[in-house]
Amino acid sequence: MAEVRMPEVDRAAAGRAAIAARRARAAVKDAVHRRERRAIDVAETAWSDPATPEGTLRVRELLMSIPGMGPTRVARVMDELGIADAKRVGGLGARQRERLRAWLQAREGARTRSRLVVLAGPTAVGKGTVSAYIRENYPEVLLSVSATTRPPRPGEVDGRHYYFVDDETFDRMIEQGEFLEYATVHNASRYGTPRPPIEAALKTGRSVLLEIDLQGARAVKKAMPEALLVFLLPPTWEELVRRLTGRGTESPAEQARRLETAKVELAAQDEFDVKIVNHDVGRAAQEVVELLTVPGTPSARTRS
Ligand code: 5GP
């Protein structure tokens, strides 16, 4: 059979149309990602007219554009909903539409119940690296900036890493009830979590992450029982020892002291709602962000 060839000019027009359609789909995803449109509204548009950019968008791409959704969770959700990877939103069958609609509605409901997540874990497990990664890659999450009486380290910026304050200011902040919790850490400086920015963020539906020490995590749970406590674990005890002693900058006595502290800290893990193993910074960060937006209260479990 002779091959049917598209005339040159039609092919150019089709190419232009394909580019325009891709751009239109990218704009839809962007709007969802920036929370300007709700994923459920995109889906309804797709179902009223499958030929729209919304209709030709793949379900996977729609789910990926929802803030806080990463590839692991998207794959799990699609599997649960019985939707094949390449499916377009407008091409879903009636049952699949119903399941996706129910899932998106439940999620929208959950979004208004924004979350406060406290990330804690033993010294040297990589809490700071995971929260720095979240600060860079997930701007929709408010990373609480603590006040501290310790002096800044090279590269630390006031107002970004900490609010560096003197003892007098810290005392005044305590008196005025400005802290959600505060503590003396490592028997040295004082650290406190400012309450007003957290309350303001939660009120507007923004999720908040606190990276604080164990006593701080316990205090937050007392003050706000709805907070979710997440414990970051090392892949193995040997790996934690390597991370603790690897830098070789501490004396053997200091190393031994840190290992003892780490043992005590690890013993607290069962007080936490969720445990995440820090195999890889990007993955651990993504799991934390997913917890900030996932509906329902997860029972204690280990994610590895
Ligand atoms: P660093 O001085 O190395 O930045 O932090 C020392 C420790 O203080 C870390 O374990 C960190 O999680 C903890 N920390 C930082 N901010 C706060 C806070 O606001 N409250 C409490 N309780 N601990 C904090």
Side-chain angles (χ1 to χ4, degrees), residues 132-213:
Y133 188 95
I134 292 173
R135 187 193 295 128
E136 294 304 321
N137 295 282
Y138 299 94
E140 68 271 22
V141 174
L142 174 75
L143 199 63
S144 161
V145 178
S146 297
T148 181
T149 57
R150 86 152 162 74
R153 297 187 187 124
E156 284 184 334
V157 179
D158 186 43
R160 176 172 164 84
H161 298 96
Y162 283 105
Y163 294 106
F164 296 100
V165 299
D166 56 20
D167 269 309
E168 246 168 56
T169 309
F170 202 94
D171 284 338
R172 202 177 55 239
M173 290 176 84
I174 296 175
E175 266 166 39
Q176 293 175 346
E178 283 202 32
F179 289 130
L180 182 58
E181 62 77 41
Y182 62 93
T184 303
V185 178
H186 300 323
N187 292 324
S189 308
R190 289 186 292 170
Y191 296 79
T193 307
R195 184 195 291 270
I198 295 175
E199 286 178 348
L202 292 176
K203 235 180 240 164
T204 60
R206 196 165 171 207
S207 292
V208 179
L209 180 70
L210 309 183
E211 186 248 298
I212 55 180
D213 79 337

Side-chain angles (χ1 to χ4, degrees), residues 56-242:
T56 56
L57 187 66
R58 290 187 199 281
V59 177
R60 176 171 37 80
E61 291 182 291
L62 174 62
L63 294 180
M64 282 293 291
S65 63
I66 299 175
M69 289 290 287
T72 323
R73 183 152 167 80
V74 167
R76 203 185 319 143
V77 169
M78 292 195 45
D79 191 45
E80 280 165 18
L81 298 177
I83 298 174
D85 193 52
K87 270 281 179 191
R88 296 180 190 273
V89 182
L92 294 177
R95 292 249 172 79
Q96 291 175 320
R97 286 183 189 192
E98 249 169 59
R99 289 197 294 266
L100 182 58
R101 183 183 281 121
W103 187 86
L104 289 171
Q105 279 168 345
R107 198 185 158 85
E108 292 301 340
R111 269 223 46 73
T112 54
R113 294 199 320 261
S114 58
R115 275 238 159 98
L116 178 68
V117 167
V118 180
L119 182 67
T123 323
V125 74
K127 280 174 295 172
T129 323
V130 169
S131 51
Y133 188 95
I134 292 173
R135 187 193 295 128
E136 294 304 321
N137 295 282
Y138 299 94
E140 68 271 22
V141 174
L142 174 75
L143 199 63
S144 161
V145 178
S146 297
T148 181
T149 57
R150 86 152 162 74
R153 297 187 187 124
E156 284 184 334
V157 179
D158 186 43
R160 176 172 164 84
H161 298 96
Y162 283 105
Y163 294 106
F164 296 100
V165 299
D166 56 20
D167 269 309
E168 246 168 56
T169 309
F170 202 94
D171 284 338
R172 202 177 55 239
M173 290 176 84
I174 296 175
E175 266 166 39
Q176 293 175 346
E178 283 202 32
F179 289 130
L180 182 58
E181 62 77 41
Y182 62 93
T184 303
V185 178
H186 300 323
N187 292 324
S189 308
R190 289 186 292 170
Y191 296 79
T193 307
R195 184 195 291 270
I198 295 175
E199 286 178 348
L202 292 176
K203 235 180 240 164
T204 60
R206 196 165 171 207
S207 292
V208 179
L209 180 70
L210 309 183
E211 186 248 298
I212 55 180
D213 79 337
L214 282 176
Q215 42 182 340
R218 291 183 183 121
V220 169
K221 190 76 179 179
K222 242 189 213 157
M224 290 181 136
E226 69 277 19
L228 190 75
L229 300 194
V230 178
F231 197 87
L232 196 62
L233 282 166
T236 58
W237 168 251
E238 288 71 28
E239 177 59 22
L240 186 67
V241 173
R242 206 183 59 73

